Amino acid sequence: MTDILGWRRKFGVLGPSTNTVVQPDFEMMRPPGVTNHYSRIYTPNAKAVSNETFMAGMLRIGDNTLDAVHSVMTCEPHYLVMGMSAVTFYGGAAGADAFRQKVEAAAGVGISIGSHACTAALRAYGGVRRIAFLSPYFPACNDEVRRYFTESGFEVARDLCLQCPSWIAIAEVPPDLLREKLIELNGAGDVDAIVQVGTNLSMVRLAAAAEMWLGKPVIAINTATYWHALRANGIEDKVQGIGRLLEEF
């Protein structure tokens, strides 16, 4: 028997309980026959006022992930999609691999995570070597993101972190500020691509627009992660209006 609505794939989506952006973003990209089943990782809305408090909160989310995995697996999804990004960059390339392996061992199915999805997206565009990235994080977490991309073969020319004061505040960052940060990251046009990390930062549509006026790949992590999950499951549908990644690759 086949699920009536998820006849192609049922995706279990893992995201922090404070996150209000991933769920609607993934629904916007969902093709017919694919269903998303959100499992919230318990996350107090901690105030992040320093490198130490941000990193402690991020690691707590990582520690609570497997509870959300066990919960969502009761609906027997075919595949998992990680809707939280910071923990997937922690520990560089080896840390990302270890995180993926831990979740897959617990779930018995595959998972797409933000770090791996972003590097796959950069390679899909082709010709990308030098990048810049934007996050809602604190500097210590940006260091982990930089380490991951560097170990994955990319040169990080510059990065910016918004230092959002709480998990919920990430979803409150206005587009005007994000547009300014993208322009700043582009600098003199000396980067091949710009990446946005932090899944509660609403950037899917802005990144798609920025690709047109910057003339280069601008990758929102939610777009990259869902694209990666679709393609990993043999679903090649092209989704229009949310950037070149889903339209072309």
Side-chain angles (χ1 to χ4, degrees):
M1 299 293 290
T2 302
D3 189 276
I4 296 301
L5 298 181
W7 49 271
R8 298 169 82 185
R9 278 295 183 269
K10 292 185 293 185
F11 285 163
V13 178
L14 309 170
S17 55
T18 50
N19 191 303
T20 56
V21 169
V22 164
Q23 191 168 0
D25 272 1
F26 284 1
E27 282 300 299
M28 179 170 38
M29 302 177 220
R30 181 178 61 83
V34 176
T35 51
N36 301 323
H37 308 282
Y38 201 93
S39 186
R40 293 187 173 272
I41 304 165
Y42 176 69
T43 312
N45 184 34
K47 306 303 178 186
V49 295
S50 67
N51 280 321
E52 292 73 24
T53 56
F54 187 93
M55 295 299 284
M58 183 268 291
L59 291 173
R60 180 170 184 180
I61 295 172
D63 290 341
N64 291 344
T65 296
L66 292 188
D67 289 338
V69 170
H70 294 143
S71 177
V72 80
M73 289 309 298
T74 60
C75 76
E76 299 186 359
H78 302 99
Y79 194 78
L80 299 180
V81 191
M82 187 67 185
M84 192 274 183
S85 63
V87 70
T88 74
F89 290 98
Y90 187 75
D97 291 344
F99 179 83
R100 178 182 56 80
Q101 290 163 8
K102 179 179 74 171
V103 174
E104 290 183 344
V109 298
I111 184 171
S112 288
I113 63 174
S115 53
H116 290 164
C118 285
T119 51
L122 289 167
R123 291 175 181 132
Y125 277 94
V128 174
R129 165 83 179 141
R130 184 174 165 88
I131 68 170
F133 72 87
L134 170 68
S135 87
Y137 307 150
F138 275 67
C141 197
N142 264 34
D143 289 345
E144 297 293 325
V145 179
R146 176 184 286 269
R147 175 185 171 188
Y148 171 82
F149 281 125
T150 301
E151 292 179 355
S152 299
F154 298 96
E155 178 188 352
V156 179
R158 64 185 68 88
D159 64 278
L160 293 172
C161 54
L162 300 177
Q163 301 190 43
C164 292
S166 71
W167 301 123
I168 287 177
I170 296 172
E172 298 170 350
V173 178
D176 287 353
L177 175 61
L178 296 173
R179 184 173 63 249
E180 292 174 7
K181 297 302 181 184
L182 289 176
I183 293 169
E184 185 177 347
L185 281 169
N186 192 47
D190 60 338
V191 294
D192 303 316
I194 298 173
V195 180
Q196 169 262 319
V197 301
T199 62
N200 207 25
L201 199 60
S202 183
M203 283 281 289
V204 166
R205 292 197 182 279
L206 179 59
E211 287 193 318
M212 293 187 285
W213 43 264
L214 291 177
K216 65 187 58 178
V218 180
I219 297 170
I221 195 164
N222 287 350
T223 305
T225 306
Y226 204 76
W227 165 83
H228 188 273
L230 291 173
R231 301 303 182 253
N233 283 271
I235 298 171
E236 300 293 333
D237 298 45
K238 303 300 190 288
V239 182
Q240 302 299 313
I242 322 179
R244 289 182 57 204
L245 190 63
L246 276 166
E247 290 178 0
E248 298 180 20
F249 303 107

